Amino acid sequence: MASDASHMLEAALEQMDDIIAGTKAVTEYTNGGYDIGSPVPMEYLGTLTILNLVEELRMALETLENPEEREILRNQIPGATASCILAWLESNLVDHAPVNNETYQERLTRLEGDKESLVLQVSVLTDQVEAQGEKIRDLETCVEEHHLKLNATEEMLQQELLSRTSLETQKLDLMTEVSDLKIKLAGLEKEQNDCEEKQSKAE
């Protein structure tokens, strides 16, 4: 098992070294292995081939559970091959590095700062909302007071109108009574005059 895995690992590393260096191309995939053909231009090499070889390398390494076997196999890898693969992987990591070479700790610090800033902004907005709430409650109280005053004024006006109506009615009644008294006074004066005339004639 270890021997087969070692051979698979060696074959995969050799193929990856050739592909990355651009000196050979994979032309056929049969029975789980790759046959190396004559050199061809680099533009004909697909990224899928490299990914397949990397996956095959991973599976081969997973079959080596013994740390000693892994160490022995690693020591057998040519330095040029290891350097080429390492440089390629490191360049890939650099391509996926954070913008402006921002490290994880720097990003974490920046995010913590952004969080504190947002918390402060929320606190300020909360205070502003509470202040506006107090103003709104004061305005509502003021409106309620004006509403009560308006109702009281309307009630007073209504009472005044009722009082005036009552006075007008009383005035009309008094005028009617005065008119009746005048009529009665005129009748009494006429009777008195009639009586005086009768007395004069009798004398």
Side-chain angles (χ1 to χ4, degrees), residues 143-200:
V143 169
E144 184 65 22
E145 291 177 354
H146 283 293
H147 186 66
L148 292 175
K149 290 180 180 179
L150 179 61
N151 289 339
T153 303
E154 290 180 349
E155 186 176 354
M156 291 176 61
L157 180 60
Q158 187 67 23
Q159 292 293 333
E160 182 68 19
L161 290 175
L162 291 175
S163 297
R164 289 189 179 186
T165 301
S166 177
L167 289 174
E168 290 292 334
T169 302
Q170 291 179 8
K171 179 181 178 180
L172 291 175
D173 292 342
L174 288 174
M175 291 177 66
T176 300
E177 186 175 353
V178 168
S179 179
D180 291 339
L181 289 174
K182 286 181 177 181
I183 293 172
K184 289 180 180 181
L185 179 59
L188 291 174
E189 288 178 350
K190 183 178 181 182
E191 289 179 358
Q192 183 178 1
N193 291 332
D194 291 341
C195 289
E196 289 178 352
E197 288 179 358
K198 288 179 180 180
Q199 289 179 357
S200 297

Side-chain angles (χ1 to χ4, degrees), residues 120-138:
L120 180 60
Q121 292 179 16
V122 170
S123 177
V124 172
L125 290 175
T126 301
D127 293 340
Q128 292 178 354
V129 169
E130 291 179 355
Q132 293 295 330
E134 289 291 338
K135 290 182 179 180
I136 291 174
R137 285 190 288 272
D138 292 341

